[in-house]
Amino acid sequence: MAGAVRRLCPRGPRWGHPLNRLLPYPLLSLGLFATWLLLNPPLTPATGLLAVTVGWLVPFVMRALRPEAVRVRAPGVILGLAGHVLVDVVQSNIDVAKVILGLRRGTRRTGFVSIPLDLRSPYGLAVLSIILTATPGTLWIQYESNTGRLLLHVLDLVDGDAWVRRVKDRYERPLMEVFS
Amino acid sequence: MSPTLVLTYGLGLAQAMLVLAMTLAAWRVLRGPRAQDRVLGLDTLYLNGMLAIVVHGMRTGSGLYFEAALVIGLLGFAATLALAKFLMQGEVIQ
Amino acid sequence: MTKADLPAWGAWLVVALALTGAGFSLTGAAGLIRLRTFYERVHAPTLGATLGMALIVAASVVFFSVTEGRLVLRDLLIGLFLTVTTPVTLILLGRAATYRDRAEGNADAPPDP
């Protein structure tokens, strides 16, 4: 059985370790457990037990999808990145609101920026796309995986090179440290 | 003003603002000019409708509206996804 | 469970959060009308989906936590859900518009990356 599973999931979790066999995706289990508790207040022994069961059993369904194993490193970098993103989202919300309400002075230019990315991890790119799209004023248009170039639409484009530097320094570098 | 009055008027105003946002989005759906503009308007309509229901849940003090809001969010997501996919290929499922 | 249980500071806090959030959402929807091209307009709903949503969800968390006398974090799930889904819809919509503009050879079609 274990051999068959290993043949089916060549890049799946490492089955050798007994803890991995019992809990294939610990982070997913934790997330499901927390979601279940949030959806079913108040916390009683019964809901707690059900949450543990859901968190333990449902991740086994994920095996069928054979997701590529994620290796997340550097928790400090994650926290720093989350802080940056939070500040940037609030700041760009205010900036875009100013543009819409006509409070921004001077001429505004809008356009596309092409950014060469060094990040190749699919999970890293997914997180980058969420960050860039969740920040009002920037939209991820197209990513070419052959060349690693990303096309971004920017609502308030003052300086194209500044945007390239901003994406690379502020988001791409920490993401490369986290998903390496 | 009593806290109840503050809540009733304040949340009522917030709800009115969200309904106005829905009206603006609906205007974009009707006006177009292109299909992608209409889909964008529909997505905004769903989003603001969901937020209006969350605010309505606070006004009535009932936790039941939370589920309704989640379902609306889910439907809006699926609808926008299917429409965008349709715009790209002309077929939803391939 | 009723609104009468809410102290004055709670009511003002909830109303302030909800009104600011609704204001951001409304501004985003106004952007749909005011901005001129599709690629500009596509940025507008993000306002409601990020800060507008976060503030309204925060208002709801404060409201239900105070009235029920315990921490109710259920509404955070709406925030989590929207944070994950909005980028997917907007990216796909942007891709669809790009595809259509390029196929029709429009002048404002996005360049190749």
Side-chain angles (χ1 to χ4, degrees):
Chain A
M1 170 67 192
V5 168
R6 201 174 294 121
R7 244 175 288 123
L8 279 172
C9 321
R11 286 184 301 182
R14 292 153 292 156
W15 293 101
H17 199 280
L19 190 65
N20 279 317
R21 204 173 301 166
L22 202 63
L23 269 180
Y25 305 100
L27 280 177
L28 179 66
S29 295
L30 194 68
L32 280 168
F33 172 76
T35 309
W36 191 268
L37 284 186
L38 284 180
L39 277 172
N40 296 285
L43 176 60
T44 60
T47 54
L49 194 64
L50 211 52
V52 169
T53 315
V54 168
W56 179 47
L57 290 181
V58 174
F60 284 92
V61 179
M62 275 294 281
R63 276 184 186 176
L65 293 175
R66 278 177 254 162
E68 208 172 307
V70 200
R71 276 187 221 94
V72 177
R73 299 206 187 94
V77 178
I78 297 181
L79 281 180
L81 180 65
H84 272 297
V85 171
L86 211 62
V87 171
D88 288 353
V89 166
V90 173
Q91 185 60 49
S92 56
N93 258 288
I94 295 167
D95 290 345
V96 173
K98 274 186 190 163
V99 168
I100 291 173
L101 297 174
L103 298 175
R104 190 195 176 286
R105 292 197 192 93
T107 52
R108 180 174 61 82
R109 209 160 60 82
T110 176
F112 297 93
V113 185
S114 178
I115 300 173
L117 289 182
D118 300 312
L119 184 69
R120 284 293 185 278
S121 151
Y123 292 109
L125 287 169
V127 174
L128 184 64
S129 74
I130 291 185
I131 292 174
L132 287 178
T133 314
T135 317
T138 52
L139 181 70
W140 174 290
I141 296 277
Q142 187 179 13
Y143 173 71
E144 200 67 65
S145 53
N146 299 328
T147 56
R149 288 189 86 86
L150 163 70
L151 188 66
L152 204 65
H153 185 263
V154 182
L155 181 64
D156 195 352
L157 182 67
V158 179
D159 176 7
D161 290 335
W163 275 101
V164 174
R165 276 197 304 277
R166 181 174 158 173
V167 170
K168 287 193 83 71
D169 293 347
R170 250 174 121 78
Y171 308 130
E172 191 193 11
R173 196 173 309 144
L175 281 173
M176 282 175 81
E177 279 179 52
V178 174
F179 300 97
S180 51
Chain B
M1 275 210 288
S2 77
T4 316
L5 222 57
V6 170
L7 270 183
T8 310
Y9 285 119
L11 293 181
L13 181 60
Q15 238 178 338
M17 285 160 83
L18 288 171
V19 170
L20 181 60
M22 287 171 79
T23 316
L24 295 178
W27 188 82
R28 182 51 74 192
V29 174
L30 295 175
R31 178 70 196 278
R34 303 203 61 203
Q36 51 262 45
D37 286 298
R38 295 179 208 270
V39 177
L40 186 66
L42 192 68
D43 191 50
T44 316
L45 188 67
Y46 265 114
L47 174 73
N48 285 297
M50 190 180 112
L51 293 179
I53 286 194
V54 173
V55 175
H56 188 69
M58 282 189 271
R59 270 190 93 190
T60 52
S62 151
L64 287 176
Y65 291 96
F66 163 76
E67 270 93 359
L70 261 190
V71 169
I72 289 185
L74 200 62
L75 285 178
F77 174 57
T80 315
L81 219 57
L83 287 169
K85 193 88 179 59
F86 180 75
L87 290 188
M88 205 154 10
Q89 253 106 26
E91 280 176 36
V92 177
I93 296 167
Q94 52 171 2
Chain C
M1 278 301 280
T2 56
K3 285 187 280 189
D5 302 337
L6 207 63
W9 65 266
W12 283 105
L13 180 62
V14 165
V15 165
L17 285 171
L19 278 179
T20 320
F24 271 103
S25 285
L26 181 57
T27 311
L32 277 186
I33 307 294
R34 286 198 50 139
L35 298 173
R36 286 179 305 276
T37 67
F38 173 78
Y39 295 102
E40 283 180 275
R41 285 197 282 265
V42 86
H43 295 287
T46 326
L47 248 64
T50 52
L51 206 54
M53 170 274 290
L55 289 168
I56 289 179
V57 163
S60 184
V61 166
V62 170
F63 178 86
F64 285 106
S65 295
V66 174
T67 49
E68 294 185 22
R70 63 192 168 78
L71 200 58
V72 181
L73 295 177
R74 198 185 45 182
D75 294 60
L76 292 183
L77 286 178
I78 291 185
L80 183 71
F81 176 75
L82 268 187
T83 311
V84 177
T85 57
T86 313
V88 179
T89 49
L90 288 184
I91 289 172
L92 201 59
L93 202 55
R95 289 280 296 159
T98 307
Y99 173 81
R100 281 164 67 94
D101 279 340
R102 281 186 188 155
E104 292 167 16
N106 286 345
D108 60 346
D112 282 317

